[in-house]
Amino acid sequence: MEAIRRQLARSSLVALFFAVLTVGAFICTRYLDSSSALMDRSSSQNPILTTKTVHDFPSETPQNHQNTPKTIDIPLNCSLGNMSRTCPANYYPSKIFVEDQSLLSAPPPSCPDYFRWIYDDLWPWRETGITREMVMSASRTANFRLVILDGKAYVQTYRKSFQSRDTFTLWGILQLLRRYPGKVPDLDLMFDCVDWPVIKKETFKGPKYPAPPPLFRYCGDDSSYDIVFPDWSFWGWPEINIKPWEALSEDLKEGNKRIGWTDREQHAYWKGNPTVAATRMDLLKCNVTDKQDWGARVFAQDWLKEQKEGYKQSDLASQCAHRYKIYIEGSAWSVSEKYILACDSVTLLVKPYYYDFFTRSLMPLQHYWPIKDDDKCRSIKHAVDWGNSHQQEAQAIGKRASNFILDELKMDYVYDYMFHLLSEYAKLLKYKPTVPKRAVELCSEAMACPSQGFEKKFMTDSLVKGPSVSNPCTMPPPYDPASLHSVIERKDSGIKQVETWEKEYWQNQNKQM
């Protein structure tokens, strides 16, 4: 009898166990169905626009565990037309979470080597950290102050930038927040949209200045501490009708296919505004004349005339028709560098004094041919003659450069660079950021919905459609002293090699005269 009672007891427990499972499954199914319906209703209704946005999305997006995650499309919500500059409430997810990491579309790749310079740019604050006082002291020249809290962007404008630099820089940051909702940490920074760096190293020597003001901008140099950030033109330059980089890079790929390298014009080409810098005015002397041909064809760009004529002569993809293209800085670095490097042409790079976020990884004789800044014409003549007599080697230099630009500078990596730079910067903050009194919340709707013309088109074209289903690329380690020395030595060695060839070339030319 005792054995039977034990058997009955076990049977009762088993029955109870299955009953609990059945009820639990029913409740979970109802919960998932109601959550899904709630999300559907939220996305289908026209939200009310308000200056104070409350984002109340589920912390986890339901996934189909039989497949890889589906992309989420979150279009612009301009339901109130162009009258409003406010942000829609309850519209964006606070974060996208995939519980089963195996469902990600692919493991994140390693970031390109130029990401390693992030550590170098933030090096001045490695020991002191960054205080609120340091940030505020950078406001002297800043165009705007950006605060990110809980995935929302707040901006305090100090002064308008030249053209739409500030507008498209902020637009790019908003697209980063759309791409990685909830992943960009809280931060507080100052941004200067002027070309040349201003935080000079010599000013911050000694115990009086434990650390310089942290100031973000588009380029740096060896004598400054400015923090380098991707420039506005990656999302478009409406004033001169330059498309967002994602679309323009595809145009450049097609432009490269139209004419093979050996069939291209056998001289060096440059077109731009020479009046912005003395070094560019000096380049004009290298143009062909009745008495001398330096192997260069140099053209001054009249942007007012181009605007009136519909930019018919400034299509960048159509300029990939020359074996050699010249890059030369303007008042500082120039956004034209990536367009020139992407053309399969040998980039003749006049000795630069500034760098942007990716150019420090470029190597002479691998990605470009170095040109002297104080003897441009003779240097260009030698480069063109060398390339035309060493076509296979020259063509390889051009191809490696365009592969670098089109593969390692695609927008995925631009966003990931921004993400890692801002994340590493945020780790240095010694205080909890708060919204400045004069700041306004900024979102894609507040910028794109009221805009017009090329500005609206480029914002729409460069809009991040929704959250990424993969994580940012994996950061490489910082340079140790030995590896950094090796990079510098390789660069110096390549430049010296070209200088030696050039000296021998002109010695032989003089003997023949």
Side-chain angles (χ1 to χ4, degrees):
M1 292 292 293
E2 184 63 24
I4 294 174
R5 281 197 296 269
R6 286 198 297 268
Q7 182 65 35
L8 289 173
R10 282 196 295 269
S11 299
S12 300
L13 287 173
V14 170
L16 179 61
F17 175 76
F18 279 106
V20 170
L21 278 181
T22 302
V23 173
F26 176 77
I27 292 173
C28 288
T29 302
R30 291 296 300 274
Y31 172 76
L32 290 174
D33 288 344
S34 61
S35 298
S36 177
L38 178 61
M39 291 181 70
D40 289 342
R41 286 197 300 271
S42 177
S43 62
S44 63
Q45 292 174 350
N46 290 331
I48 299 174
L49 299 187
T50 174
T51 55
K52 293 184 178 180
T53 303
V54 179
H55 295 202
D56 187 19
F57 256 65
S59 60
E60 180 176 347
T61 301
Q63 300 287 344
N64 180 354
H65 287 261
Q66 302 300 318
N67 302 302
T68 56
K70 295 181 179 179
T71 56
I72 301 173
D73 190 2
I74 306 178
L76 284 174
N77 187 338
C78 297
S79 58
L80 294 187
N82 291 340
M83 299 298 293
S84 177
R85 291 182 179 269
T86 52
C87 300
N90 302 324
Y91 194 57
Y92 297 105
S94 59
K95 64 179 178 178
I96 297 297
F97 178 72
V98 180
E99 183 175 5
D100 185 351
Q101 293 296 311
S102 67
L103 293 180
L104 292 173
S105 58
S110 296
C111 302
D113 249 17
Y114 63 82
F115 279 59
R116 302 174 79 174
W117 293 102
I118 288 174
Y119 304 109
D120 193 69
D121 286 348
L122 299 177
W123 184 257
W125 301 276
R126 69 194 183 282
E127 294 180 357
T128 63
I130 296 173
T131 65
R132 192 188 305 272
E133 290 72 26
M134 290 179 186
V135 171
M136 293 310 299
S137 65
S139 65
R140 181 175 60 87
T141 64
N143 290 94
F144 62 83
R145 179 183 181 186
L146 170 72
V147 172
I148 294 177
L149 286 178
D150 299 324
K152 306 176 195 175
Y154 302 88
V155 179
Q156 180 177 358
T157 301
Y158 295 112
R159 52 190 64 84
K160 185 72 181 75
S161 75
F162 175 67
Q163 296 184 339
S164 57
R165 293 183 175 199
D166 51 357
T167 299
F168 278 85
T169 298
L170 289 167
W171 176 258
I173 292 170
L174 292 177
Q175 302 322 297
L176 175 68
L177 297 180
R178 286 174 65 93
R179 182 180 176 90
Y180 294 127
K183 291 183 179 180
V184 180
D186 294 349
L187 56 85
D188 183 4
L189 63 82
M190 296 286 179
F191 205 108
D192 188 338
C193 299
V194 176
D195 281 344
W196 46 89
V198 297
I199 310 298
K200 298 301 180 182
K201 291 180 179 178
E202 62 182 17
T203 307
F204 300 96
K205 291 181 178 179
K208 182 180 178 181
Y209 298 102
L215 181 63
F216 286 72
R217 71 177 341 100
Y218 308 120
C219 72
D221 61 22
D222 292 337
S223 64
S224 70
Y225 285 126
D226 299 65
I227 303 170
V228 181
F229 195 83
D231 72 83
W232 75 95
S233 68
F234 282 97
W235 297 273
W237 191 349
E239 287 82 4
I240 57 175
N241 192 29
I242 290 183
K243 297 178 183 178
W245 177 237
E246 189 164 28
L248 181 53
S249 61
E250 292 300 319
D251 290 348
L252 291 168
K253 287 181 184 178
E254 293 302 314
N256 285 339
K257 297 176 184 177
R258 292 173 196 162
I259 306 177
W261 192 89
T262 55
D263 296 326
R264 295 184 179 191
E265 298 288 340
Q266 299 180 27
H267 52 252
Y269 173 89
W270 182 83
K271 188 174 186 178
N273 182 0
T275 63
V276 296
T279 187
R280 287 191 173 184
M281 293 299 294
D282 187 48
L283 179 65
L284 296 179
K285 300 175 184 177
C286 304
N287 221 339
V288 62
T289 67
D290 294 338
K291 298 180 180 181
Q292 181 67 53
D293 186 354
W294 296 108
R297 303 295 184 269
V298 182
F299 301 91
Q301 179 73 284
D302 184 342
W303 283 112
L304 291 177
K305 182 180 178 182
E306 275 298 292
Q307 186 179 32
K308 292 178 181 178
E309 296 179 356
Y311 304 98
K312 295 178 182 178
Q313 304 301 318
S314 57
D315 176 58
L316 294 173
S318 66
Q319 295 177 15
C320 296
H322 308 82
R323 290 185 179 181
Y324 315 91
K325 294 193 69 177
I326 300 169
Y327 169 76
I328 185 168
E329 293 178 334
S331 59
W333 129 103
S334 171
V335 302
S336 65
E337 189 162 14
K338 58 182 175 290
Y339 311 133
I340 292 170
L341 286 162
C343 258
D344 278 358
S345 309
V346 181
T347 296
L348 307 186
L349 197 150
V350 180
K351 182 181 178 181
Y353 289 88
Y354 301 93
Y355 53 79
D356 65 11
F357 73 103
F358 71 88
T359 54
R360 285 170 284 186
S361 284
L362 297 175
M363 283 290 169
L365 298 180
Q366 181 180 348
H367 302 110
Y368 67 90
W369 185 277
I371 298 294
K372 293 178 180 177
D373 63 325
D374 57 353
D375 195 8
K376 298 181 185 69
C377 302
R378 284 160 53 92
S379 197
I380 290 171
K381 173 66 173 173
H382 166 245
V384 171
D385 282 1
W386 182 92
N388 287 337
S389 60
H390 297 78
Q391 293 189 21
Q392 187 173 354
E393 295 96 322
Q395 191 172 356
I397 294 173
K399 193 62 180 176
R400 282 194 295 267
S402 58
N403 286 345
F404 173 86
I405 295 297
L406 297 172
D407 294 340
E408 298 191 30
L409 198 64
K410 56 187 178 182
M411 283 305 298
D412 288 346
Y413 285 133
V414 175
Y415 283 121
D416 285 1
Y417 189 95
M418 296 161 62
F419 173 83
H420 284 299
L421 173 59
L422 295 179
S423 296
E424 294 298 323
Y425 171 83
K427 293 175 184 177
L428 295 169
L429 294 182
K430 307 289 285 185
Y431 64 99
K432 171 68 176 175
T434 56
V435 180
K437 291 182 180 179
R438 297 183 180 180
V440 296
E441 185 184 356
L442 202 61
C443 63
S444 298
E445 279 74 12
M447 296 190 73
C449 294
S451 63
Q452 297 178 348
F454 281 139
E455 186 171 294
K456 190 180 189 75
K457 175 175 172 51
F458 291 166
M459 285 183 179
T460 303
D461 290 347
S462 61
L463 177 75
V464 168
K465 306 303 181 185
S468 173
V469 296
S470 61
N471 290 319
C473 63
T474 304
M475 275 286 282
Y479 285 112
D480 56 55
S483 58
L484 182 58
H485 176 73
S486 176
V487 169
I488 296 171
E489 194 174 58
R490 282 176 57 206
K491 189 168 291 190
D492 289 343
S493 177
I495 293 172
K496 288 177 181 177
Q497 176 64 79
V498 171
E499 289 176 347
T500 299
W501 289 341
E502 187 174 324
K503 182 179 180 181
E504 294 172 352
Y505 169 87
W506 284 109
Q507 286 175 346
N508 291 332
Q509 292 292 312
N510 292 334
K511 289 178 182 179
Q512 296 172 12
M513 291 178 65

